[in-house]
Amino acid sequence: MSTKLTKEDLVRLWERHTELEFDVKDAEATVATMTSDNSVNHVPVMTGGRGQAELLEFYGRHFIPQMPADTEVRLLARTVGEDRVIDE
């Protein structure tokens, strides 16, 4: 049985995910915010992973440690649908 998140819960989860990824820089906690069958594909450099083990490897060894210390996320616009959050 899957539980459908409200739009507000989805936004809170996404904001927590990005906080863990860019501010806290905790790969394990970041991946814990994702579904077990999630996939990430960073198209410009063709990196990412599928499933928790590959994503933990990706975030923990490649993405988060290589992020410049002065990286910051600035929200330009947000669209929230029934099952997705799109940030620019």
Side-chain angles (χ1 to χ4, degrees):
M1 179 173 121
S2 69
T3 304
K4 186 160 175 72
L5 297 174
T6 66
K7 288 181 180 181
E8 293 79 14
D9 289 339
L10 190 59
V11 167
R12 274 193 292 279
L13 180 60
W14 175 246
E15 288 177 347
R16 180 66 178 151
H17 172 87
T18 57
E19 174 189 26
L20 293 166
E21 182 176 7
F22 293 101
D23 297 332
V24 178
K25 299 184 180 181
D26 183 330
E28 191 171 339
T30 299
V31 172
T33 66
M34 303 167 136
T35 62
S36 61
D37 63 345
N38 199 19
S39 64
V40 171
N41 184 11
H42 286 244
V43 174
V45 291
M46 295 306 294
T47 60
R50 178 173 303 231
Q52 290 183 329
E54 286 184 15
L55 289 175
L56 187 54
E57 170 84 9
F58 169 68
Y59 280 104
R61 298 191 76 203
H62 304 287
F63 189 73
I64 292 174
Q66 302 303 319
M67 199 179 311
D70 61 349
T71 298
E72 68 178 58
V73 176
R74 185 170 46 115
L75 182 63
L76 300 176
R78 172 173 284 162
T79 303
V80 181
E82 292 298 318
D83 62 352
R84 68 194 69 209
V85 177
I86 302 167
D87 282 354
E88 295 179 52

